[in-house]
């Protein structure tokens, strides 16, 4: 049986701000197909707004349209498709924004962030089985990263969801699907921060602030947080940053080198601006590692002198999905949250209704707030 659902659909990537006026996301009446093999139907309870949703809306991260947006969500399973073994009706789950098939060469070698069938499905706007389950005016529309969480209901693959304990509030659980997974994972999996190391986190949106929480939990000795927005630098202090800097200020690099004895061991960049990545690389000391987890426009290019990589033994690397295995890392990070060592609740700045999603993206685009969460009844 199909089910009716209201959801926020993106039809074009040309809308001008303010989005409150141009309304790039149209709240649409959708029909959701029943779950197929190895899929489940989920009643969405909470969904977070992430900067990479904004990158789809403004065309920096082109995706097939029309698309039911949203890639950070939690909810409750209300129906099982054929062959589903590990989940039951009533289970609470969080989506990961990249499905992991468990069977490709990358999944088998523990690198779920590189899952090939997962990436193919995400690029094509389907679930990992290749199907679309969302209809608008009797035409199928695209899924967003296997999630499409800005909707009352969603069909998801079992490869896209992780079961969570029922005592974790849905609005908290949603954060683990993107902000926390990407932010904390980039620190512990990609940068492999060691106890006592110094770190620079540049770009202080939800993911960057989650990375600060991760760096603190992992035992960084000095956490330096950088952003061009003074409000975000203030917020970073309350997340555990020991120093904050404005990376657009020409004195900042020297100041950073002074307080760290020549540069940080690890720098992690989430800003999506080439100038920020260049700053992160320069701030990294000899032998150190620069990680980028941002998604700049595909046409952007980085200028870099390769001899510094050699002569100073520096590493520069990318991080997707925080280098995580969602089914292992999400439950682990939730345990850290429960024990008070990962205070992810601080990330929530606004709770909104689905109908307020366009103005919420105006706030995100102007750098206000941290994580805004759509709460569904
Ligand atoms: Zn995201
Ligand atoms: Zn795979």
């Amino acid at each position: 049986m199909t089910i009716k659902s209201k959801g926020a659909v993106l039809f074009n990537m040309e809308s001008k701000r303010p989005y409150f006026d141009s309304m790039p996301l149209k709240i649409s009446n959708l029909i959701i197909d029943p779950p197929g093999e190895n899929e489940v139907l989920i009643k969405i309870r909470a969904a977070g707004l992430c900067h990479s949703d904004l990158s789809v809306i403004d065309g920096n991260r082109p995706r097939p349209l029309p698309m039911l947006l949203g890639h950070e969500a939690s909810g409750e399973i209300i129906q099982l498709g054929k062959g589903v073994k590990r989940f039951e009706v009533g289970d609470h789950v969080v989506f990961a924004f990249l499905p992991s098939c468990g069977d490709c060469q990358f999944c088998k070698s523990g690198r779920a962030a590189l899952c090939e069938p997962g990436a193919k499905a995400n690029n094509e706007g389907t679930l990992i089985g290749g199907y679309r389950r969302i209809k608008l005016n009797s035409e199928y529309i695209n899924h967003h990263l296997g999630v499409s969480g800005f909707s009352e209901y969603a069909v998801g693959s079992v490869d896209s969801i992780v079961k969570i304990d029922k005592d974790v509030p849905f609005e908290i659980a949603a954060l683990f699907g993107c902000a926390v997974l990407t932010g904390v994972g980039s620190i512990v999996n990609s940068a492999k921060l060691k106890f006592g190391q110094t770190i620079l986190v540049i770009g202080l949106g939800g993911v960057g602030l989650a990375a600060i929480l991760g760096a603190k939990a992992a035992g960084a000795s000095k956490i330096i947080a950088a952003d061009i927005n003074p409000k975000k630098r203030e917020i970073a202090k309350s997340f555990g940053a020991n120093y904050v800097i404005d990376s657009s200020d020409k004195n900042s690099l020297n100041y950073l080198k002074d307080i760290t004895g020549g540069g940080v061991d690890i720098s992690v960049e989430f800003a999506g601006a080439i100038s920020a990545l260049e700053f992160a690389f320069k701030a990294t000391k000899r032998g150190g590692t620069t990680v980028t987890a941002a998604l700049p426009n595909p046409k952007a290019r980085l200028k870099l002198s390769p001899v510094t990589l050699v002569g100073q033994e520096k590493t520069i690397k990318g991080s997707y999905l925080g280098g995580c295995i969602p089914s292992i890392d999400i439950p682990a990070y939730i345990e850290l949250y429960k024990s008070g060592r990962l205070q992810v609740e601080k990330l929530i700045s606004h709770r909104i209704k689905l109908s307020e999603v366009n103005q919420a993206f105006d706030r995100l685009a102007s750098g206000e707030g941290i994580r805004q969460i759509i709460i569904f009844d």
Side-chain angles (χ1 to χ4, degrees):
M1 212 177 70
T2 58
I3 192 163
K4 287 182 187 168
S5 181
K6 275 197 196 323
V9 178
L10 182 71
F11 291 90
N12 69 69
M13 292 179 280
E14 284 100 51
S15 299
K16 297 272 175 287
R17 283 168 61 196
Y19 296 137
F20 180 69
D21 294 326
S22 62
M23 295 275 179
L25 293 168
K26 306 268 184 292
I27 307 302
S28 308
N29 291 312
L30 307 165
I31 301 289
I32 308 288
D33 276 357
E37 196 169 349
N38 289 319
E39 294 171 356
V40 297
L41 177 64
I42 294 165
K43 180 170 169 42
I44 302 287
R45 299 293 298 274
L49 275 62
C50 173
H51 213 279
S52 20
D53 300 312
L54 191 59
S55 300
V56 182
I57 295 170
D58 67 18
N60 268 313
R61 186 95 179 138
R63 296 276 176 199
L65 300 180
M67 177 173 273
L68 175 53
L69 227 58
H71 66 276
E72 183 184 90
S74 63
E76 183 177 348
I77 294 180
I78 56 170
Q79 192 187 339
L80 302 180
K82 260 197 240 157
V84 174
K85 293 198 183 72
R86 290 176 286 123
F87 297 93
E88 286 170 29
V89 169
D91 279 351
H92 292 192
V93 294
V94 56
F95 279 92
F97 65 86
L98 176 69
S100 29
C101 73
D103 206 33
C104 71
Q105 56 168 321
F106 296 105
C107 283
K108 278 180 177 163
S109 62
R111 302 196 69 183
L114 302 178
C115 176
E116 281 181 317
K120 180 172 183 282
N122 279 6
N123 285 334
E124 291 175 357
T126 69
L127 298 179
I128 194 170
Y131 299 100
R132 292 181 179 82
R133 303 292 184 202
I134 314 157
K135 266 189 208 161
L136 173 66
N137 303 329
S138 62
E139 299 271 344
Y140 283 104
I141 64 167
N142 294 292
H143 292 256
H144 188 198
L145 305 180
V147 183
S148 288
F150 297 166
S151 173
E152 294 165 325
Y153 296 92
V155 168
S157 162
V158 292
D159 296 339
S160 291
I161 56 172
V162 175
K163 188 174 163 177
I164 52 166
D165 293 342
K166 289 187 177 166
D167 59 355
V168 181
F170 285 109
E171 62 180 34
I172 297 285
L175 299 167
F176 286 88
C178 177
V180 179
L181 196 66
T182 308
V184 177
S186 68
I187 302 294
V188 295
N189 296 323
S190 307
K192 301 201 187 317
L193 179 89
K194 293 198 188 92
F195 191 76
Q197 284 189 317
T198 54
I199 183 162
L200 165 71
V201 175
I202 181 164
L204 303 174
V207 181
L209 291 166
I212 292 178
L213 295 175
K216 202 174 152 199
S221 61
K222 278 181 186 159
I223 302 171
I224 300 148
D227 202 286
I228 54 174
N229 180 335
K231 279 191 215 153
K232 294 200 167 169
R233 296 199 294 271
E234 259 333 286
I235 293 169
K237 288 183 193 164
S238 69
F239 276 70
N242 306 103
Y243 303 88
V244 293
I245 56 174
D246 175 358
S247 46
S248 66
D249 179 335
K250 61 179 175 14
N251 299 317
S252 287
L253 189 61
N254 284 337
Y255 172 68
L256 176 142
K257 287 187 174 175
D258 280 349
I259 57 179
T260 54
V264 288
D265 295 298
I266 306 278
S267 60
V268 190
E269 187 266 325
F270 302 101
I274 296 302
S275 55
L277 182 53
E278 284 170 349
F279 186 93
F281 186 69
K282 285 181 194 156
T284 307
K285 78 176 182 195
R286 294 164 67 81
T289 300
T290 306
V291 173
T292 176
L295 297 166
N297 188 292
K299 290 186 185 131
R301 292 289 178 271
L302 176 68
K303 270 195 206 145
L304 158 88
S305 157
V307 75
T308 54
L309 295 174
V310 179
Q312 300 182 25
E313 288 209 332
K314 282 194 187 185
T315 301
I316 182 163
K317 66 188 288 192
S319 172
Y320 192 58
L321 199 76
C324 288
I325 301 174
S327 58
I328 292 174
D329 292 312
I330 288 178
Y333 298 167
I334 287 178
E335 283 307 312
L336 284 168
Y337 154 73
K338 283 185 176 175
S339 68
R341 281 177 291 169
L342 210 53
Q343 294 174 306
V344 303
E345 66 279 5
K346 286 179 169 177
L347 290 166
I348 301 175
S349 60
H350 297 75
R351 292 171 182 82
I352 62 163
K353 295 193 189 107
L354 179 65
S355 58
E356 297 166 325
V357 68
N358 286 295
Q359 61 214 83
F361 275 111
D362 279 324
R363 267 197 294 268
L364 185 63
S366 63
E368 279 172 58
I370 314 172
R371 240 356 176 225
Q372 307 181 73
I373 307 278
I374 302 170
I375 306 289
F376 295 88
D377 303 327

